[in-house]
Amino acid sequence: MDMEHENHEVHNMHNMDNMHDMDNMDMMNHGGHMMHMGDMSKKLKVAIILMIPLLLISPIAGFTILKFPGSEILQLILGTIIFFYSGTPFFSGAKGELKSRKPAMMMLITMGITVAYAYSVYATIMSLNGHMGMNFWFELATLIVIMLIGHLIEMKAIMGAGDALKDLASLVPKKAHLKSGKDVELSELKVGDLLLVKENEKIPADGLILSEALVDESMITGESRAVNKKTNDLVYGGSLNQNQPFEMKVTTLGKDSFLNQVAELVKKAQAQKSNLENMADRVAGYLFYAALIVGIFSLVFWTISSNFSFALLLAVSVFVIACPHALGLAVPLVVSRLTSISAKNGLLIQNRTSLEKINTIKYALMDKTGTLTDGKFIVRNVIDFTDETDILQIMAALEGSSTHPIAQSIVSAAKPLENLKVEAVENIPGVGIKGQVNQNFYQIVNYKYLRENQLSYDEQKIAQYLDLGLTISFLINEQQDVLGFIALGDSPKSDAKAFINGLLAQGITPVMLTGDNKETAQKIASALNIPEFRAELKPEDKAEIVKEYQKKAGVLFIGDGVNDSPALATATIGFAIGAGTSVAISTADVVLVNSNPSDVLDMINISKRMLRKMKQNLWFGAGYNIIAIPVAAGILYPFTGIYIDPLIAAVLMSISTVIVSINAMGLRYDKK
Ligand SMILES: Nc1ncnc2c1ncn2[C@@H]1O[C@H](COP(=O)(O)OP(=O)(O)OP(=O)(O)O)[C@@H](O)[C@H]1O
Ligand SMILES: [Cu+]
Ligand SMILES: [Mg+2]
């Protein structure tokens, strides 16, 4: 690896803080506008300072506190400065919206303040020429002030909700101690460096530990227990060394580090747009046109039936109150909460949009080996029909390169291999493995293969192992003679039963799908109380069965193996076991970091709450306008005398976004 490249990656890691800010910018970028918080607060301060003299010299409800020659010119000057200086965030926002041909909230605000400004200039010129008229200078100033405050509050709210990434970034310490005694910046670290990690310090990078230590990884994996690390175990940058100093060797840095990958996932999950969100965007677009039409209509109507300046006032209110901020934030705010809550519960969301389908779920299809069982097979018995060969040796030789859990247990049960020559090894999906050992061709096959190919075998000898619910792997030669078999077993995970019961309690039917034999499947199913199961499946069968169930309702799939990936991709929501194969992990919607199937129950509950919050927010964000726009247009005025001043309209608009963000923050979840 060339050094420059590597340094660049490390640099990326350091920039995680910036990355976080950029993310928020993206969110604020809804209608194509971008605002800077610091800039905005300066513009707000200027507007507030100029607003005070304006308050004294402007007519408010027909009464002016201070009147002196030239005071009208002064109003014009102050108002113009406020409009052109403090109003710019809205203008540039509107420009962006026009460019992307999606007129929305910034356009509405710009229309509102521009109408108010133009009319005030006109009224001031008229009154200088002796015509009396009402002007909006004070309204204009307060409107801009409140809009700026509203948007500042809202930006802060988003930042608060989006803290997940910042929390992750702050986990990594700034410096690392080299074993040689020197302290270096993280950016100077290289793969292979030996580091010293002191007691109660954060681990600076991913690497192999060279002694023993107790490490708290809760901030990364969500696992609350401290993990006892032994020599050559992996430790992750960002976790906490709890008891004694240790040395470690750096293995991964920067972009490839575990923490950075988590951060990337969080970022991706937040950037995805779901159906609900696209709907919100569309409604926000419609609101612009609705406000435009209603605004113009009320302008014409009230000019005819009342007077022009009252008509203008109401038109401005309509534009301002319709600003669909609450709508635009309804979903993103809930999403930021979702990602951080889930991460704390050991759930990594890779594709959150599928979680919105949670209420359709009626079936949970799951794999057996590695998902419900721990996938650590133990060889129980080796039955060798031959005299001249050691079948365990041959089988271990064939399995040497396989990642299948059965393969790994056979390899570890065998004595260290003698000089066997292993060639042309090939997996037989759903069956086993084949290849040559010392020039002789062999296959490892399962029980199903034996029956389907009608090989002769001693049924009696097998029956007792099947009764025990063991998995059996047979060794056959080129002539398809059965040379012997190995009976293996693994045991259910400790929380598998709680998981199944949890699903049943939620009205979700668990179904086990396995490549293993029927007898083993039956044993596990009845031990765990699983009502339906299918066994002896080929890898492609699992996805087909998922489709079959999907005709009836939404389907969850939980799996770990290569043979589970098609099903994971097909399912409505796919969950991969964190300790599973990388293929399974990359196709899943959610990764169970702690490899406990029962964490799926947490995700179900969190998703349901998330969906409820999103819907509440969308209804509120859209519903508020159904009432607010007509009232702002003066519909109540003829009967009750009630109308909405632009100032009040701006306050209501801000309050509506605050309500939406408070509601989103209310998304909480505590594991029972
Ligand atoms: N490398 C292998 N060595 C021995 N047997 C194998 C091997 N690969 C597959 N098999 C046989 O094929 C069957 C199906 O394998 P597959 O990987 O599809 O499912 P599985 O991992 O056993 O079970 P599950 O689907 O529950 O995870 C296994 O039960 C086993 O009998
Ligand atoms: Cu707004
Ligand atoms: Mg499996």
Side-chain angles (χ1 to χ4, degrees):
M1 192 193 262
D2 77 322
M3 265 308 293
E4 246 184 65
H5 184 60
E6 198 179 315
N7 269 336
H8 177 71
E9 287 177 354
V10 174
H11 190 70
N12 268 347
M13 179 83 174
H14 275 252
N15 275 349
M16 239 156 62
D17 274 290
N18 296 352
M19 182 175 92
H20 163 250
D21 285 346
M22 273 181 51
D23 221 40
N24 289 317
M25 280 325 208
D26 281 351
M27 281 192 185
M28 287 312 293
N29 209 2
H30 259 299
H33 63 278
M34 201 176 260
M35 289 181 281
H36 298 278
M37 209 152 146
D39 215 31
M40 240 165 72
S41 59
K42 202 168 103 200
K43 288 183 192 257
L44 173 64
K45 273 179 210 141
V46 171
I48 291 174
I49 292 167
L50 298 183
M51 190 180 75
I52 296 165
L54 203 51
L55 168 74
L56 298 176
I57 59 175
S58 297
I60 295 159
F63 177 77
T64 315
I65 300 170
L66 262 177
K67 230 176 184 169
F68 51 88
S71 68
E72 277 168 336
I73 300 284
L74 189 60
Q75 284 173 29
L76 177 78
I77 293 170
L78 293 173
T80 302
I81 297 174
I82 294 176
F83 179 69
F84 284 105
Y85 177 72
S86 302
T88 42
F90 306 116
F91 303 150
S92 54
K95 221 163 81 189
E97 287 178 358
L98 281 184
K99 252 194 211 143
S100 59
R101 289 168 199 248
K102 279 189 196 138
M105 57 185 169
M106 289 296 154
M107 193 63 208
L108 282 171
I109 299 173
T110 300
M111 269 163 39
I113 60 179
T114 307
V115 170
Y117 178 74
Y119 177 74
S120 299
V121 173
Y122 164 81
T124 303
I125 293 170
M126 292 304 278
S127 86
L128 286 176
N129 291 329
H131 301 275
M132 280 306 284
M134 229 178 90
N135 69 47
F136 291 159
W137 289 120
F138 181 67
E139 264 85 3
L140 176 70
T142 44
L143 192 57
I144 290 177
V145 164
I146 289 177
M147 285 289 185
L148 285 173
I149 292 176
H151 290 94
L152 270 171
I153 291 176
E154 180 193 300
M155 280 166 99
K156 283 227 175 84
I158 298 177
M159 298 211 167
D163 262 350
L165 281 173
K166 195 168 200 159
D167 289 348
L168 283 178
S170 67
L171 286 177
V172 222
K174 299 269 175 289
K175 288 198 172 188
H177 321 294
L178 288 179
K179 192 191 168 189
S180 57
K182 216 172 88 185
D183 279 5
V184 292
E185 295 283 326
L186 280 199
S187 55
E188 293 166 39
L189 280 183
K190 289 183 292 294
V191 170
D193 276 350
L194 292 178
L195 305 179
L196 179 72
V197 182
K198 295 179 189 159
E199 201 178 316
N200 278 324
E201 265 185 359
K202 295 270 179 71
I203 300 173
D206 295 357
L208 297 175
I209 181 168
L210 302 179
S211 54
E212 287 194 7
L214 205 60
V215 175
D216 178 3
E217 293 183 337
S218 59
M219 46 297 269
I220 303 181
T221 61
E223 176 74 72
S224 51
R225 257 172 303 135
V227 189
N228 212 337
K229 297 279 180 180
K230 296 189 185 61
T231 310
N232 271 330
D233 277 353
L234 260 178
V235 289
Y236 300 115
S239 49
L240 183 74
N241 172 20
Q242 279 200 327
N243 58 355
Q244 61 213 30
F246 64 79
E247 282 172 19
M248 62 175 283
K249 191 168 143 195
V250 177
T251 54
T252 12
L253 285 167
K255 203 177 74 199
D256 302 324
S257 71
F258 186 74
L259 190 60
N260 210 49
Q261 281 173 1
V262 173
E264 281 298 313
L265 282 179
V266 172
K267 214 169 72 160
K268 260 213 290 215
Q270 288 182 342
Q272 287 157 352
K273 279 209 173 181
S274 62
N275 290 337
L276 281 182
E277 229 171 327
N278 288 331
M279 194 179 83
D281 283 358
R282 230 166 331 143
V283 175
Y286 295 148
L287 269 178
F288 169 78
Y289 294 104
L292 190 66
I293 293 166
V294 174
I296 291 172
F297 177 80
S298 78
L299 186 68
V300 173
F301 180 86
W302 291 113
T303 306
I304 296 167
S305 61
S306 175
N307 65 67
F308 185 57
S309 68
F310 181 65
L312 266 181
L313 192 84
L314 291 192
V316 171
S317 290
V318 170
F319 296 149
V320 168
I321 213 163
C323 173
H325 249 117
L327 205 53
L329 290 169
V331 174
L333 285 173
V334 178
V335 168
S336 342
R337 284 293 294 166
L338 169 78
T339 26
S340 62
I341 291 171
S342 306
K344 279 190 194 119
N345 283 285
L347 297 156
L348 259 186
I349 300 172
Q350 306 199 88
N351 173 16
R352 73 163 174 86
T353 58
S354 62
L355 296 180
E356 285 177 16
K357 304 205 188 88
I358 192 68
N359 287 335
T360 69
I361 303 292
K362 287 266 162 14
Y363 298 97
L365 275 49
M366 63 201 78
D367 158 69
K368 176 180 76 72
T369 316
T371 301
L372 290 173
T373 68
D374 55 22
K376 287 186 192 98
F377 280 95
I378 293 168
V379 173
R380 295 285 175 78
N381 245 309
V382 181
I383 311 295
D384 198 338
F385 298 151
T386 66
D387 307 321
E388 66 275 24
T389 51
D390 178 353
I391 66 156
L392 183 60
Q393 280 283 309
I394 295 170
M395 289 173 89
L398 283 172
E399 299 281 24
S401 58
S402 171
T403 55
H404 200 277
I406 292 180
Q408 287 169 349
S409 68
I410 291 179
V411 170
S412 57
K415 290 190 289 290
L417 293 185
E418 292 143 23
N419 290 333
L420 295 177
K421 200 162 150 229
V422 185
E423 289 165 303
V425 175
E426 231 180 282
N427 274 309
I428 324 170
V431 175
I433 203 162
K434 63 182 173 190
Q436 288 183 11
V437 180
N438 286 346
Q439 254 98 51
N440 294 315
F441 178 82
Y442 295 103
Q443 290 189 67
I444 296 175
V445 299
N446 53 11
Y447 186 43
K448 184 188 176 201
Y449 180 93
L450 242 58
R451 278 180 290 142
E452 278 181 355
N453 293 281
Q454 292 164 352
L455 305 188
S456 58
Y457 56 91
D458 189 343
E459 219 155 318
Q460 293 261 282
K461 281 204 170 119
I462 299 166
Q464 57 168 316
Y465 299 107
L466 288 178
D467 282 349
L468 288 172
L470 295 179
T471 301
I472 306 180
S473 284
F474 299 87
L475 182 70
I476 61 176
N477 63 12
E478 195 155 15
Q479 292 77 41
Q480 309 260 54
D481 301 323
V482 180
L483 305 178
F485 62 86
I486 297 180
L488 325 91
D490 68 341
S491 32
K493 288 185 184 171
S494 57
D495 72 342
K497 193 154 187 178
F499 168 53
I500 300 297
N501 288 336
L503 286 174
L504 290 167
Q506 301 242 19
I508 297 175
T509 308
V511 182
M512 185 175 80
L513 308 184
T514 179
D516 209 341
N517 66 57
K518 284 201 186 74
E519 290 76 3
T520 313
Q522 175 71 65
K523 273 258 146 49
I524 297 277
S526 50
L528 295 179
N529 206 10
I530 301 175
E532 291 179 38
F533 73 90
R534 310 263 187 106
E536 303 189 347
L537 299 172
K538 292 193 293 296
E540 61 272 24
D541 295 340
K542 292 192 180 182
E544 282 309 312
I545 297 172
V546 168
K547 280 188 204 144
E548 210 175 281
Y549 278 91
Q550 269 174 332
K551 288 193 191 121
K552 296 187 263 184
V555 171
L556 299 180
F557 189 87
I558 308 110
D560 71 321
V562 180
N563 65 341
D564 298 319
S565 313
L568 282 170
T570 311
T572 317
I573 310 177
F575 291 86
I577 298 289
T581 56
S582 53
V583 200
I585 288 176
S586 64
T587 42
D589 298 312
V590 180
V591 181
L592 306 171
V593 179
N594 303 326
S595 303
N596 299 336
S598 59
D599 288 351
V600 169
L601 299 172
D602 294 321
M603 191 76 263
I604 294 174
N605 286 326
I606 295 173
S607 304
K608 284 189 172 161
R609 287 175 199 207
M610 165 202 81
L611 200 59
R612 213 176 309 139
K613 288 281 179 195
M614 282 182 179
K615 285 187 178 158
Q616 281 168 358
N617 272 0
L618 286 173
W619 273 112
F620 178 79
Y624 139 90
N625 284 292
I626 297 173
I627 298 166
I629 294 180
V631 175
I635 205 166
L636 294 179
Y637 186 65
F639 320 108
T640 60
I642 292 174
Y643 69 95
I644 298 179
D645 193 80
L647 193 72
I648 305 294
V651 172
L652 288 178
M653 179 309 276
S654 301
I655 290 175
S656 72
T657 60
V658 171
I659 289 176
V660 163
S661 51
I662 289 174
N663 189 39
M665 294 302 241
L667 179 62
R668 274 166 221 282
Y669 184 76
D670 292 308
K671 217 176 180 141
K672 273 147 268 134

